Every structure is written in structure tokens, then in C-alpha cells.
Amino acid sequence: MESEKTCSTCGRRITWRKKWADCWEDIRYCSDACRKKKPGKTGPEIEAVILCLLSERKAAATICPSEAARSLWPEAWQDRMEETRQAARRLVAQGLIEITQGGHVVDPSTAKGPIRLRKS
């Protein structure tokens, strides 16, 4: 049995709990808040923009998540940063990108502060 999964909304790690023994296969969200706020139409759009921006860069180059947010919402990008970080975490779970801090790959579930994104 797989002991960890990734939340379908926020991309954070979900760790197995004994109370989920009978329904672990059905668990998709880490919390009630994530269950209520599933990634809407913009989720895949943000992921596509992140991948597009990275494909335009050299292999080891990074981008800031704010670049993706600014390209989609030039006026209100700051309000959409958490949504953009969630999209980045989902891409990490798919193995498409890595999240770094200070040039080192970090765990997206526990990363705090400024992050950078690069291709895996």
C-alpha cells in the first residue's frame, strides 16, 4: 500500500492515517478546505503557463512563480500567487518540475518563503 499521496488541489503531501484504512484509495484531498476549493478552469491553465515559460529557458534556468501569475493576471497577480504555487506543487507531483530555494531542491509540502521553479 502506498503510504503517501498528493492532494489534488494544493499539491501537498497526504500521509496515510489509520482511520483511512478502508478508504485510502478514495482519498484525494488533504483537508475539507481543499475538497471545497478544487482547482477550477485556471488550474491547468497555470500549469501550462509554467511549463511554457520553462520551455523558453535554458535547461537549468529557473522562473519565479510570480512570472506565471503576471502573465495570466497582469493587474491582480499577487492575489493569485497561492493558486500559482499550488499548480507548481501539482507539477512537482507529476515529476515535470522541481521547486528550489537557494539553488537546492526542496520538498514542496514544507517549503516556506520565496521559491523558484525549474524543469526536472
Side-chain angles (χ1 to χ4, degrees):
M1 175 192 312
E2 180 182 346
S3 65
E4 287 185 354
K5 291 183 175 189
T6 302
C7 178
S8 296
T9 299
C10 70
R12 289 190 171 96
R13 188 176 48 245
I14 305 171
T15 306
W16 185 86
R17 297 179 188 164
K18 187 175 180 179
K19 71 177 185 176
W20 291 337
D22 295 335
C23 61
W24 178 244
E25 299 302 319
D26 300 327
I27 301 294
R28 295 187 56 215
Y29 305 101
C30 65
S31 65
D32 289 336
C34 281
R35 185 181 354 280
K36 291 175 187 171
K37 191 174 190 235
K38 298 174 181 128
K41 295 176 185 174
T42 60
E45 187 177 1
I46 299 167
E47 293 172 13
V49 168
I50 291 170
L51 293 173
C52 180
L53 288 171
L54 286 171
S55 71
E56 295 169 354
R57 306 285 168 94
K58 293 181 182 178
T62 63
I63 65 166
C64 180
S66 66
E67 292 178 54
R70 287 173 201 222
S71 69
L72 288 169
W73 306 284
E75 300 298 320
W77 66 272
Q78 292 170 317
D79 298 334
R80 307 302 282 268
M81 279 304 297
E82 181 53 31
E83 197 175 345
T84 305
R85 288 173 69 106
Q86 289 175 355
R89 287 190 295 263
R90 288 192 302 270
L91 290 171
V92 168
Q94 295 171 34
L96 300 174
I97 68 169
E98 296 173 330
I99 292 179
T100 64
Q101 285 182 320
H104 303 287
V105 176
V106 295
D107 180 359
S109 294
T110 59
K112 303 264 191 247
I115 59 172
R116 303 284 297 176
L117 312 175
R118 72 175 178 206
K119 293 181 210 172
S120 291

